[in-house]
Amino acid sequence: MFRGPLLWLAILMLSGHPALLIGPFAAENSSSTSTPHSPSPTQAVESTPDAEAERQLFDLVNRARSAAGAPPLEMDTGLTRAARAHAEEMATQQCLSHQFPDEPSLLQRLSKNSNLHLDGAAENVAYAATVEQVQDVLMHSPPHRENLLNPSYNVGGFSVVRSASVLYVAEDFAHRRTP
């Protein structure tokens, strides 16, 4: 386990890679696990979507894509709805996971919330104290960076849900094809 402040950053990837846990002193210690990870247990707290933080995250992702020579993502309301529902579930459960028991898979969630014709999708999930911390950790994780900068993805849905001092984030990426 990490020693130091209680601030923990965690990210998971849809591809089935184990969870990657990164704390403020990542060089001091790191660990991996294949089970969902949760911030320290707390009493049930109200969680609310943060549209301003979602826009900030979307802008950070598109700036990173531009710097890497990838085309910008277009924000899709359906993918955002799917991401928001999942981020709200993570906040409720106080746990990071790509799929909770009795929850549809990513592709089912995207299909249910969007009428786009998609032929590829990926998801990043994370929690941290700030949007900047989430972006920094995801950009320094090769598999998550790959999702963020994948030039074949052309639409995205981003959700940031506040629960006490924790931001739960779901980023859904997809390739919309022309019917």
Side-chain angles (χ1 to χ4, degrees), residues 43-165:
Q43 298 177 11
V45 294
E46 183 178 333
S47 58
T48 56
D50 185 332
E52 182 178 329
E54 291 169 354
R55 175 53 67 183
Q56 182 183 7
L57 184 61
F58 177 72
D59 290 343
L60 288 171
V61 167
N62 272 336
R63 274 189 240 140
R65 289 175 64 86
S66 176
L73 294 172
E74 180 182 322
M75 181 72 81
D76 179 73
T77 56
L79 298 184
T80 298
R81 268 193 310 274
R84 190 170 287 153
H86 188 65
E88 288 173 345
E89 183 65 21
M90 290 190 302
T92 298
Q93 299 285 332
Q94 295 184 355
C95 181
L96 289 183
S97 179
H98 284 285
Q99 186 175 2
F100 291 98
D102 300 322
E103 182 184 38
S105 69
L106 171 63
L107 294 178
Q108 291 169 329
R109 292 191 312 261
L110 297 181
S111 295
K112 176 183 173 188
N113 285 284
S114 176
N115 60 359
L116 297 178
H117 298 280
L118 304 175
D119 61 8
E123 177 178 70
N124 289 342
V125 298
Y127 72 84
T130 69
V131 170
E132 293 84 1
Q133 288 173 334
V134 168
Q135 179 70 3
D136 184 59
V137 169
L138 293 173
M139 288 298 290
H140 284 91
S141 166
H144 299 91
R145 180 183 175 93
E146 184 178 326
N147 282 347
L148 286 163
L149 302 180
N150 186 328
S152 70
Y153 295 139
N154 56 13
V155 291
F158 295 80
S159 177
V160 176
V161 174
R162 290 188 180 278
S163 179
S165 62

Side-chain angles (χ1 to χ4, degrees), residues 10-12 16-21 30-38:
I11 53 180
L12 296 172
H17 285 78
L20 173 63
L21 306 176
S30 67
S31 65
S32 294
T33 178
S34 60
T35 58
H37 182 74
S38 172

